[in-house]
Amino acid sequence: MTEAILLVGGKGTRLRPLTVHTPKPMVPAAGVPFLTHQLARARAAGVEHIVLATSYLAEVFEPYFGDGSALGLHIEYVTETEPLGTGGAIRNVASRLRSGPDEPVLIFNGDILTGLDIRALVSTHEESGADVSLHLTKVTDPRAYGLVPTDETGRVQAFLEKPQTPEEIVTDQINAGAYVFRRSVIDTIPVGRPVSVERETFPDLLASGAHLQGMVDSTYWLDLGTPQAFVRGSADLVLGRAPSPAVPGRCGDRLVLPTATVAPDAKLTGGTVVGEHAVIGEGARVDGSTVLAGAVIEPNAVVTDSLIGAGARVGARTVLAGAVIGDGADVGADNELRDGVRVWCGAGLPAGSVRFSSDQ
C-alpha cells in the first residue's frame, strides 16, 4: 500500500469559532496544523502518494503543504464544488489514484487522532482477502455511535444505528474512521451525488455479499469534533499519550514554540502549547490548554483546558476553564468564563463583565 485518500472537506461546525477562518484539519494541534500529524503518520506507515479531498476553505491547504515533498510525500488536491459526503468525496478523487484494481488504498477521516497501527490494518486486509477493511475501536459507552458487530474471524456482520435501548447494544465496537479499500470497490460508488460510506456504501456492500473485515485496535483514539476534544487531543500529543512524529519538540508538560515569550514565573502544565509570537505574562497559569499564534495571556490569568485563538487577548486575573476564545477576541481583565463558553472571533468582553462566581 503506497497511496491514501484523506477526507478533509468538512465544515467543522461543532468546532466553531475555531473554524470560522480555518478549516478543521488546519487548526493547530501540538504546534502544527492537525493534518500534519496525520500525514506524518501515513508516511511513517509507508504511504507515498496522498490525495486530499477538500471542500470548505479548500484554498488554504496547498499553499501550506505544497506538493508534500517536505514530508516525503506526493500530495494532490481535489476540491468538491458541492458537498458529496464521505463516499462521494472518495469517488470524486478516484481518477487521481494510481493503484491497480486489486491493490489496497488507505482512506481516513481528517478529524480523528489515533494510535492505529496502519500497517497492521493493511496486513489484515490482505490476509483476509477483504473488499474493505475497517478500523474498529471499543468504547465504554456505545450509545453515541453506530455499532459494528463482527464474527469470531473479524468479518463484519452488520452496521447498526446508534442504539436507543440497552437491548440494542450488541457490541462495544464502533467504526473508527480509517479504512482500506480494494481499489476496484471505490469505482462502484455512485458518481456526482452525495454518498455516505457509513449509511450507504458499507451497508450496500454487505447486502451484496462483499467481504468487509474489521480489525479492532483500541490504542489511543479521539474524535476531535468538539473544542474540548480538540484541546485534549493537542495536550495528549504534547504529553506523548497520542503518537505523532510531527510534534515540533520533545514530549513533555509543555510545548513552547521558539518565537513565543513566557514570563519566568508563569506556570505551563498539562501539555499546554504556546504558539509563535504568543505572550504569557507574569504569574499566569496555563494548564492543558492551547494558546495560538500571537495570542496574549496577561499577568496572573488562569487558563485551564481552553483554546485561545490567534491574536486573541486574555486580560489580567481572568479565569478560563473549558473555554474557547476566537481569533482576535479581547477578553478584559477580571472575567470568569467556564464550562464550554465560546467567545466569537473579534468579540470584545469588557473587564469584569462576566463571572460564574462571586468577585470576592
Side-chain angles (χ1 to χ4, degrees), residues 213-269:
Q213 187 73 16
M215 187 194 83
V216 177
D217 181 326
S218 291
T219 53
Y220 187 97
W221 184 86
L222 186 65
D223 177 349
L224 301 185
T226 67
Q228 291 72 29
F230 200 96
V231 170
R232 177 182 153 201
S234 177
D236 284 347
L237 283 162
V238 174
L239 291 166
R241 294 172 180 166
S244 170
V247 176
R250 296 172 58 185
C251 291
D253 227 21
R254 54 192 257 173
L255 172 64
V256 179
L257 295 193
T259 55
T261 301
V262 178
D265 65 343
K267 188 174 183 181
L268 308 178
T269 55

Side-chain angles (χ1 to χ4, degrees), residues 86-319:
T86 47
I90 293 167
R91 185 66 179 88
N92 190 51
V93 307
S95 63
R96 303 294 185 93
L97 298 174
R98 305 165 182 169
S99 301
D102 290 325
E103 291 182 319
V105 177
L106 176 68
I107 299 171
F108 47 118
N109 291 331
D111 55 1
I112 300 296
L113 178 59
T114 175
L116 167 68
D117 185 337
I118 296 172
R119 291 182 186 272
L121 180 63
V122 176
S123 295
T124 294
H125 177 79
E126 293 177 333
E127 291 165 6
S128 66
D131 296 298
V132 179
S133 296
L134 297 86
H135 171 209
L136 307 179
T137 192
K138 293 179 180 290
V139 293
T140 53
D141 185 358
R143 291 175 297 176
Y145 304 94
L147 309 182
V148 187
T150 55
D151 68 12
E152 63 278 1
T153 69
R155 188 159 180 160
V156 174
Q157 300 296 290
F159 292 90
L160 306 176
E161 293 295 325
K162 296 177 182 178
Q164 303 299 312
T165 65
E167 292 73 28
E168 292 177 320
I169 302 176
V170 297
T171 181
D172 58 357
Q173 296 175 177
I174 67 166
N175 178 354
Y179 321 111
V180 178
F181 273 64
R182 187 191 302 272
R183 169 68 180 85
S184 57
V185 174
I186 294 174
D187 294 327
T188 67
I189 299 173
V191 180
R193 69 169 176 84
V195 180
S196 165
V197 289
E198 299 87 356
R199 293 183 177 84
E200 182 176 344
T201 304
F202 291 158
D204 286 357
L205 284 169
L206 208 57
S208 71
H211 180 175
L212 278 69
Q213 187 73 16
M215 187 194 83
V216 177
D217 181 326
S218 291
T219 53
Y220 187 97
W221 184 86
L222 186 65
D223 177 349
L224 301 185
T226 67
Q228 291 72 29
F230 200 96
V231 170
R232 177 182 153 201
S234 177
D236 284 347
L237 283 162
V238 174
L239 291 166
R241 294 172 180 166
S244 170
V247 176
R250 296 172 58 185
C251 291
D253 227 21
R254 54 192 257 173
L255 172 64
V256 179
L257 295 193
T259 55
T261 301
V262 178
D265 65 343
K267 188 174 183 181
L268 308 178
T269 55
T272 285
V273 181
V274 183
E276 295 178 347
H277 302 291
V279 176
I280 310 296
E282 296 177 356
R285 289 182 287 142
V286 187
D287 180 59
S289 298
T290 295
V291 181
L292 295 185
V296 176
I297 309 296
E298 294 195 340
N300 298 308
V302 179
V303 180
T304 306
D305 298 336
S306 297
L307 192 145
I308 314 304
R313 184 183 74 92
V314 176
R317 298 173 302 280
T318 281
V319 174

Side-chain angles (χ1 to χ4, degrees), residues 4 6 8 35-36 38-40 43 47-54 61-62 64-78 96 98:
L6 188 47
V8 293
L35 178 55
T36 310
Q38 293 185 306
L39 294 172
R43 182 66 192 95
V47 173
E48 297 172 357
H49 176 222
I50 290 186
V51 184
L52 295 188
T54 67
F61 292 95
E62 190 167 1
Y64 189 91
F65 292 106
D67 63 3
S69 56
L71 291 169
L73 292 164
H74 176 223
I75 298 177
E76 294 187 68
Y77 305 84
V78 177
R96 303 294 185 93
R98 305 165 182 169

